[in-house]
Amino acid sequence: MEWEGTVGAKGDTEVSGQPSLIIGMVGPDYGKSTLVRSIAGRNPTCRYVQGHSVRLGYVNATIYRCSECPPPMNFESFPFFQTEGSPCVREDCSGKYILERCVSFLDCPGLQMLLSTMVSGIHAMDAIIVVMSAQDANHRVVEHLAAIELLNPNVPILIALTRMKSVTGRLIELLHADVVRFIRGTRAENSIIIPISEHAGWNVDVLREYICSIPIPMRDLTLPPEMSIIRSWNVNQMHSNIDDWVGGILGGALKHGIIKVLTFNLDST
């Protein structure tokens, strides 16, 4: 498909199969990968060591809205595209699925020693879900919020309060009030807070509904290419002559423009 002009509101980006949003999962090890799996239906493609992610992980998800189910349970997500108008998966529903969003999740490591890895991906995010725990003091979240405020100050932020399966009644209100006090004065001060049980699936549909409400950033395809580079790989043989170089690989997010086949001339001097 040839692109002209700008891409923004729902439409062309979903039809083309390309994610229209890059959503970062930020915070300590409070179930970020598990939460992503509950939405996308599969694990992010990242490396795990003793249950902790140690590299940036990626996974795409498509979010559909059922034409008959009441909100927010009418939002469902799948790891792959479904045929437009596919029947709802619920047995007692005769509704059809309507494509709402195709998103890409960028799952960041939560360990303090890997904070630089998380920082390398912040500038590529269109929205951020900061994961906090109902069973922890959350003091390590301060560093993540500070990095967001410094590197991507205008990005929309949502607070996901995870590990809520065993929390009931009055304690939910107390935890919510505690999080409000915790984020006061930070970049996330006015963010929506959604309590979630990532294992039981509680309120995951509310999170899907929120994701579909995030404004899609305008990407001007007429501008020169602008790419936020997260990773790079050298594919040249070690100690090879410059005439035998074949280039490298860049991984990241394209912010503006279109990347076509380009030729780079290297000066051997």
Side-chain angles (χ1 to χ4, degrees), residues 95-113:
K96 305 294 183 181
Y97 280 131
I98 302 169
L99 177 62
E100 288 291 323
R101 285 286 168 87
C102 179
V103 299
S104 180
F105 288 98
L106 182 56
D107 187 22
C108 299
L111 295 175
Q112 187 176 24
M113 67 182 68

Side-chain angles (χ1 to χ4, degrees), residues 132 136-138 173-183:
M132 301 177 66
D136 202 297
N138 292 301
E173 298 179 11
L174 295 176
L175 284 170
H176 183 276
D178 186 58
V179 171
V180 170
R181 288 192 296 269
F182 182 84
I183 63 177

Side-chain angles (χ1 to χ4, degrees), residues 119-269:
V119 167
S120 67
I122 286 182
H123 56 85
M125 301 173 185
D126 300 317
I128 293 178
I129 297 176
V130 178
V131 178
M132 301 177 66
S133 172
Q135 303 174 8
D136 202 297
N138 292 301
H139 59 276
R140 288 187 294 155
V141 179
V142 175
E143 300 167 339
H144 297 258
L145 292 176
I148 294 171
E149 186 169 358
L150 180 65
L151 300 175
N152 201 344
N154 298 319
V155 66
I157 296 177
L158 167 79
I159 304 294
L161 189 58
T162 61
R163 301 180 178 177
M164 295 288 294
K165 185 177 180 180
S166 59
V167 180
T168 58
R170 174 66 175 166
L171 186 56
I172 296 178
E173 298 179 11
L174 295 176
L175 284 170
H176 183 276
D178 186 58
V179 171
V180 170
R181 288 192 296 269
F182 182 84
I183 63 177
R184 187 174 298 148
T186 70
R187 172 63 181 79
E189 182 173 6
N190 298 316
S191 301
I192 296 175
I193 303 172
I194 301 179
I196 293 176
S197 174
E198 63 275 25
H199 292 285
W202 177 47
N203 268 0
V204 174
D205 49 3
V206 177
L207 182 57
R208 296 189 189 105
E209 184 179 29
Y210 169 81
I211 291 174
C212 291
S213 69
I214 299 174
I216 299 176
M218 298 297 295
R219 311 189 195 278
D220 193 338
L221 306 182
T222 63
L223 294 176
E226 177 184 339
M227 183 177 181
S228 296
I229 299 175
I230 299 176
R231 289 178 177 176
S232 62
W233 295 267
N234 179 15
V235 298
N236 303 302
Q237 294 292 329
M238 188 176 297
H239 307 303
S240 60
N241 188 283
I242 191 172
D243 295 329
D244 299 325
W245 286 7
V246 295
I249 300 174
L250 298 178
L254 187 63
K255 294 296 186 179
H256 297 290
I258 302 174
I259 293 183
K260 300 180 179 179
V261 178
L262 302 175
T263 301
F264 295 92
N265 296 320
L266 298 178
D267 186 353
S268 59
T269 61

